[in-house]
Amino acid sequence: MTATSAPEAPLRQRSRSRLRRIESRQALGFISPALVGLTVFTIAPVFLSIVMSLYDWPAWGTRSFVGLGNYVDLFTSHPDFWPALRNSAIFTLGFVPLNLAVSLSLALLLAPRIKGRAAFRVLFFIPVVTPMVANVLVWKMLLQPNGLFNGISTSWFGIELPSFLNHPQWAMVMVIVMSVWQGMGYNMLIFCAALEQLPEPVLEAARIDGAKGWRMFTKITLPLLSPAIFFTTVMTMITSMQVFAQPQLLTGGGPGNATLPIVMFIYDQAFTFQKMGLAAAAAWILFAIIIGLTALQFSAQKRWVHYEV
């Protein structure tokens, strides 16, 4: 018995090793298309953008190495870079809290099992799936000097409204308002799902202890919703720092550069002025800002996000 089992052990081991090699090759074959796509469409462009940011890289013509010159030019001498960063910051500071407040309010209003709740949810979600161009066209018709808002104000109250899209301050306000209207449905659905998952024993215990109304909302509901609020805050902040379509279509970045966000600045540098290196440098600065803000949010969430255990 011992004499026959001893030679079989290395044989079984060789067989297992051969099987593992075959499985590894098969797995590599299955994931190869995904790896090729990741390399071609993600890793290579990222690496190329790093290289481009270190060069004076026109769309056509000779390229020359400038080191960190593009970054220095952006921070010290480019007239539109700081206004673009300021506009993105203003948009984010205005859009994120307003979007969260509106979407959470809608979710709370639609949380009770009222008649037509599903229809209202669909109604508020429609702007999210509607093409941005169509949304912007509607808002342009509303906000123009001869549009609906000014027409109602003039005919009913005798008050002529300012030209919202041509006013340096009102233009950004209208971009924020239009963006909130367009995007509130997405976060509303997240909050609706979170509200339906609140632990009923905790809510019942709070009711027995006398909690109700505003106190119930601030002391019980809001802490239980904090993971959903944290998720929507992070995602909304990231998308707001990358805002492009709304100001591009609604105001074209104007008047002047009053609504020019950083992504639109990057687009203009790359495809209007053909300065690919400068655009790549600005894109990496934006990337660093978003990563920094996200890391800050993750660090701060330990103080106010409550995960149920």
Side-chain angles (χ1 to χ4, degrees):
M1 182 72 180
T2 309
T4 54
S5 59
E8 288 178 355
L11 185 61
R12 283 199 298 270
Q13 188 174 3
R14 284 198 297 274
S15 177
R16 288 174 187 162
S17 300
R18 182 170 173 271
L19 184 60
R20 279 198 292 269
R21 285 197 297 274
I22 293 173
E23 289 177 345
S24 299
R25 293 194 194 102
Q26 290 175 341
L28 186 62
F30 280 117
I31 66 173
S32 289
L35 287 177
V36 170
L38 180 68
T39 303
V40 172
F41 297 109
T42 303
I43 296 176
V46 167
F47 178 75
L48 181 60
S49 69
I50 295 174
V51 174
M52 289 173 69
S53 71
L54 302 176
Y55 277 77
D56 179 10
W57 192 302
W60 310 100
T62 306
R63 298 150 192 166
S64 58
F65 181 74
V66 295
L68 298 178
N70 287 326
Y71 294 92
V72 174
D73 286 347
L74 287 172
F75 283 117
T76 59
S77 61
H78 202 291
D80 287 333
F81 178 69
W82 283 109
L85 269 184
R86 178 201 62 202
N87 293 336
S88 290
I90 292 173
F91 178 85
T92 301
L93 291 173
F95 174 74
V96 173
L98 195 57
N99 178 288
L100 294 179
V102 172
S103 54
L104 180 58
S105 300
L106 289 176
L108 290 170
L109 288 173
L110 297 177
R113 298 189 178 280
I114 59 175
K115 188 176 181 181
R117 182 175 65 161
F120 280 114
R121 287 180 179 179
V122 172
L123 187 66
F124 288 121
F125 194 71
I126 285 177
V128 179
V129 296
T130 304
M132 184 63 75
V133 174
N135 290 334
V136 170
L137 283 176
V138 170
W139 276 85
K140 270 193 169 181
M141 288 189 291
L142 295 175
L143 297 174
Q144 284 177 348
N146 57 351
L148 180 64
F149 288 163
N150 197 33
I152 292 176
S153 176
T154 305
S155 58
W156 289 11
F157 307 107
I159 300 174
E160 187 170 353
L161 298 177
S163 180
F164 292 113
L165 301 181
N166 296 317
H167 192 280
Q169 282 78 44
W170 277 111
M172 178 58 81
V173 173
M174 289 301 122
V175 170
I176 293 173
V177 171
M178 181 262 168
S179 301
V180 170
W181 172 82
Q182 189 270 334
M184 64 185 180
Y186 181 79
N187 284 341
M188 180 201 70
L189 287 188
I190 294 176
F191 287 134
C192 285
L195 284 168
E196 291 181 358
Q197 297 299 320
L198 293 182
E200 190 57 35
V202 176
L203 300 178
E204 186 62 30
R207 293 190 194 100
I208 292 173
D209 289 341
K212 59 183 179 180
W214 179 251
R215 188 179 180 191
M216 179 78 170
F217 174 70
T218 55
K219 301 296 183 182
I220 305 297
T221 306
L222 212 53
L224 291 174
L225 283 176
S226 58
I229 295 174
F230 171 66
F231 171 76
T232 52
T233 303
V234 171
M235 298 307 296
T236 308
M237 185 277 297
I238 292 174
T239 56
S240 63
M241 287 298 294
Q242 298 174 341
V243 65
F244 173 77
Q246 296 93 318
Q248 168 74 6
L249 296 171
L250 195 61
T251 64
N257 58 11
T259 56
L260 177 76
I262 186 64
V263 175
M264 195 170 163
F265 170 83
I266 295 170
Y267 174 86
D268 287 342
Q269 296 304 312
F271 301 109
T272 303
F273 304 116
Q274 309 296 317
K275 296 179 179 178
M276 298 294 182
L278 204 66
W284 276 102
I285 292 171
L286 174 61
F287 174 77
I289 293 173
I290 291 176
I291 288 293
L293 291 175
T294 304
L296 193 64
Q297 287 178 307
F298 270 88
S299 176
Q301 58 111 7
K302 299 172 186 173
R303 301 181 179 178
W304 65 275
V305 179
H306 305 279
Y307 294 100
E308 189 184 5
V309 293

